[in-house]
Amino acid sequence: MLILEDSEDDLLLLLRELRRGGIDPVYERTETDAGMRALLDEREWDVIIADYNMPRFGAMVGLEIVKERELDIPFIIVSGKIGEDLAVAAMKAGAHDYLMKGNLSRLVPAIEREVREAGERRRRRQAEAAMRNQFNQISTIFDSLNALVYVVDMDSYRLLYLNKYGAQLFGENWEGRPCHEVIQGGKTLPCDFCTNDKLLLDGKALPPYIWEYKNMTTGRWYQCIDKAIRWTDDRLVRMEIAIDITERKEMERMKDEMISAVSHEMHTPLTAMIGFTEFLLENEVDREQQKNCLQTIHKETERLSELINNFLQLQRLKASMVKFRIMPVSVGLLLADAAALYTAASRKHTIVVECPPDLPPVRGNEEQLYQVAGNLISNAIKYSPAGGTVTLGGRADDDMVVFWVKDNGVGISPEFQERVFERFFRVDNSDRRKVGGAGLGLTLVREIVAAHGGRVWVESTPDAGSTFFVSLPRMK
């Protein structure tokens, strides 16, 4: 207890009243500004009892010191003579109570009351500080997430919290605005798909509700986890954690399209194989006709096998499941080996290799790059059905090495030259439709080249042939 009193007799009067009321205080007394400041520096005090007026000091100055230090200490004024107007002014200045020295019966009850209330205020501040600290910790965690997290009042729909990710998406001016206005692109009414009614039952929180939706502002898909929680003021609010699943949705869409496309592409060779097999089983045919049927079945079986192998390899590349063994690869030797293989495969075509002997090696996997060269040569042969020359060449281009495969075939129209690398895309004209194929060879080329940090493109003129270029990083 800190007592601001200049009279020894009045001090004894106070102490006697306190002890009579069951309080045996540990106290210090001072009658100066400097003395009060020094005692406040020494320790924490439960209560301050101050005489209103002293020769060199007073209760009002003491109150100023307490306010200056932002202390929450019960401050009780005891005075021999104080008017009502001065008492009211003291209470407005921050005093918790005032008593007359001639009537100290209220002293102990006043101290007990004020100390109790000060303790409650202190515990409330500690709880609020702990809650703020916990909130700041949770906010730090939510701000580090690559996900949208927000809290909204379930009655007014006004935003109470939005994490950093959300503020980056929807702007910093969100506080107190309706969630549908901020997050759903300026909507004036609550969303039809609002989950408030799915989070409470008879005023009690239900388990988290998980759902998906496409945001009108960002155009992206989110998986949402909504939960009714208690806010800092104890009201029930809705918290939503929304995780961006756009890539997953796109993969699902692509998977569905691919399954549909693969099913369609597989259906053609299977239909031919089944048809010719049934024909052979149900009819007596001569040796020559039997041979023709079996050749067709064999050709369609190879086509189906190529489709399945290319599809599986493409999926592994897309899923980054293929681990390349990287080494220096000589482009000249690679093209020469591929040319030797395909020269024997077609008597109508002449395959020429025009590579400078000092062409630097590229950084890559020899088996995968051999498949790139093979697919491009096979394509060149397929789409120059009348025969002709297929030219393989290469050159150094700064820190890249470029090689190409050129044919004199049917060519590709300009509007299709980017699309020929898409899965299952085939140019819809009679010359190219005569040639079989799964429509995955060039897609596989693009994926392998991309995995090596390179690029592939085509230059072509209809009815004058095509040149496919591959650019790869050179070995350093």
Side-chain angles (χ1 to χ4, degrees):
M1 183 180 294
L2 178 57
I3 300 174
L4 310 182
E5 178 60 74
D6 63 333
S7 168
E8 191 71 31
D9 290 339
D10 287 348
L11 172 63
L12 293 173
L13 186 67
L14 286 172
L15 292 175
R16 186 176 64 189
E17 188 64 31
L18 289 170
R19 288 171 182 141
R20 199 165 74 183
I23 297 176
D24 188 10
V26 175
Y27 71 93
E28 292 287 346
R29 178 175 71 92
T30 184
E31 55 187 279
T32 65
D33 178 311
M36 180 180 178
R37 292 180 185 278
L39 289 169
L40 287 174
D41 289 337
E42 283 183 11
R43 57 174 296 174
E44 293 182 359
W45 300 94
D46 295 323
V47 64
I48 299 173
I49 298 176
D51 190 354
Y52 182 79
N53 192 26
M54 293 176 279
R56 293 180 294 168
F57 196 31
M60 299 304 286
V61 177
L63 274 172
E64 286 298 320
I65 294 172
V66 170
K67 286 172 63 177
E68 170 192 308
R69 298 191 175 210
E70 298 181 346
L71 300 174
D72 183 9
I73 304 174
F75 197 103
I76 298 173
I77 297 175
V78 177
S79 177
K81 186 178 181 181
I82 182 172
E84 187 175 340
D85 54 340
L86 293 178
V88 170
M91 296 294 284
K92 287 182 177 179
H96 293 86
D97 206 343
Y98 71 92
L99 302 140
M100 303 304 291
K101 289 184 179 179
N103 182 19
L104 292 178
S105 59
R106 286 199 311 112
L107 179 59
V108 171
I111 291 173
E112 290 175 341
R113 181 192 67 242
E114 295 302 330
V115 169
R116 182 174 62 253
E117 291 180 1
E120 289 172 358
R121 290 195 299 273
R122 183 169 58 253
R123 285 188 292 274
R124 189 161 54 247
R125 285 195 302 272
Q126 290 170 346
E128 289 171 354
M131 188 173 289
R132 280 195 301 272
N133 184 51
Q134 188 177 37
F135 184 83
N136 291 336
Q137 290 174 343
I138 292 172
S139 293
T140 301
I141 294 170
F142 284 162
D143 283 342
S144 69
L145 294 178
N146 192 33
L148 168 66
V149 182
Y150 70 89
V151 176
V152 63
D153 183 274
M154 297 180 76
D155 294 323
S156 68
Y157 299 97
R158 297 192 178 278
L159 283 165
L160 304 172
Y161 171 79
L162 182 68
N163 72 336
K164 188 180 292 185
Y165 182 89
Q168 289 170 352
L169 287 177
F170 306 113
E172 298 288 344
N173 182 28
W174 58 265
E175 195 165 356
R177 293 171 60 197
C179 55
H180 44 266
E181 179 185 304
V182 175
I183 296 173
Q184 296 299 331
K187 285 190 66 167
T188 55
L189 295 173
C191 305
D192 296 335
F193 49 79
C194 182
T195 61
N196 280 1
D197 60 340
K198 298 177 175 65
L199 305 181
L200 294 175
L201 181 62
D202 298 330
K204 295 182 180 179
L206 292 172
Y209 180 73
I210 301 174
W211 58 295
E212 295 177 0
Y213 86 108
K214 188 175 183 180
N215 184 270
M216 297 171 64
T217 301
T218 64
R220 300 185 71 80
W221 278 92
Y222 294 90
Q223 182 183 68
C224 305
I225 305 170
D226 290 13
K227 182 80 172 73
I229 63 169
R230 291 284 175 189
W231 195 233
T232 54
D233 55 8
D234 206 41
R235 61 178 149 162
L236 280 168
V237 296
R238 170 165 55 90
M239 181 180 74
E240 179 170 290
I241 301 175
I243 302 165
D244 193 324
I245 57 168
T246 306
E247 282 71 23
R248 193 192 81 189
K249 282 286 187 181
E250 181 64 17
M251 288 296 291
E252 289 174 357
R253 184 190 65 78
M254 291 171 61
K255 181 183 72 174
D256 291 342
E257 287 181 359
M258 178 159 291
I259 290 171
S260 176
V262 169
S263 300
H264 174 76
E265 293 294 332
M266 289 178 70
H267 188 262
T268 304
L270 282 172
T271 300
M273 291 160 64
I274 291 169
F276 279 97
T277 303
E278 288 177 347
F279 177 78
L280 290 174
L281 289 171
E282 296 172 0
N283 298 278
E284 292 291 334
V285 295
D286 58 37
R287 178 65 181 167
E288 187 62 30
Q289 194 175 8
Q290 186 183 72
K291 185 177 180 182
N292 287 339
C293 288
L294 289 173
Q295 283 177 340
T296 301
I297 292 171
H298 182 260
K299 178 182 175 184
E300 295 301 327
T301 304
E302 285 186 327
R303 181 182 171 191
L304 186 60
S305 176
E306 179 190 5
L307 170 65
I308 293 170
N309 289 335
N310 283 348
F311 175 72
L312 291 175
Q313 187 171 0
L314 194 59
Q315 289 301 96
R316 286 194 292 266
L317 283 167
K318 277 289 185 184
S320 302
M321 291 171 62
V322 179
K323 302 299 181 185
F324 295 138
R325 182 170 173 265
I326 301 300
M327 57 188 296
V329 178
S330 169
V331 170
L333 291 177
L334 188 81
L335 295 178
D337 288 347
L341 175 66
Y342 283 92
T343 296
S346 176
R347 296 177 181 176
K348 294 191 294 183
H349 295 82
T350 302
I351 301 179
V352 179
V353 180
E354 298 177 351
C355 265
D358 58 346
L359 197 64
V362 297
R363 182 180 181 276
N365 177 271
E366 187 170 7
E367 182 181 346
Q368 296 289 328
L369 295 180
Y370 184 84
Q371 184 169 2
V372 168
N375 282 12
L376 293 178
I377 297 169
S378 174
N379 227 48
I381 292 171
K382 282 180 185 177
Y383 293 104
S384 51
T389 301
V390 176
T391 305
L392 317 182
R395 69 171 186 269
D397 189 3
D398 295 330
D399 57 348
M400 307 293 282
V401 173
V402 180
F403 72 84
W404 58 86
V405 177
K406 180 180 179 182
D407 64 62
N408 307 115
V410 297
I412 307 167
S413 298
E415 65 267 27
F416 298 129
Q417 290 178 17
E418 284 295 323
R419 297 199 63 198
V420 293
F421 297 100
E422 296 176 8
R423 307 179 199 213
F424 303 112
F425 180 81
R426 297 177 67 195
V427 178
D428 193 11
N429 63 45
S430 58
D431 290 335
R432 296 184 74 87
R433 276 294 178 186
K434 291 175 184 176
V435 181
L440 285 175
L442 289 178
T443 307
L444 198 54
V445 166
R446 182 187 63 186
E447 294 299 328
I448 292 173
V449 171
H452 281 75
R455 71 184 188 97
V456 59
W457 69 98
V458 62
E459 295 176 4
S460 181
T461 303
D463 301 319
S466 304
T467 305
F468 283 84
F469 294 88
V470 174
S471 176
L472 295 166
R474 63 193 293 177
M475 196 75 182
K476 294 181 181 178

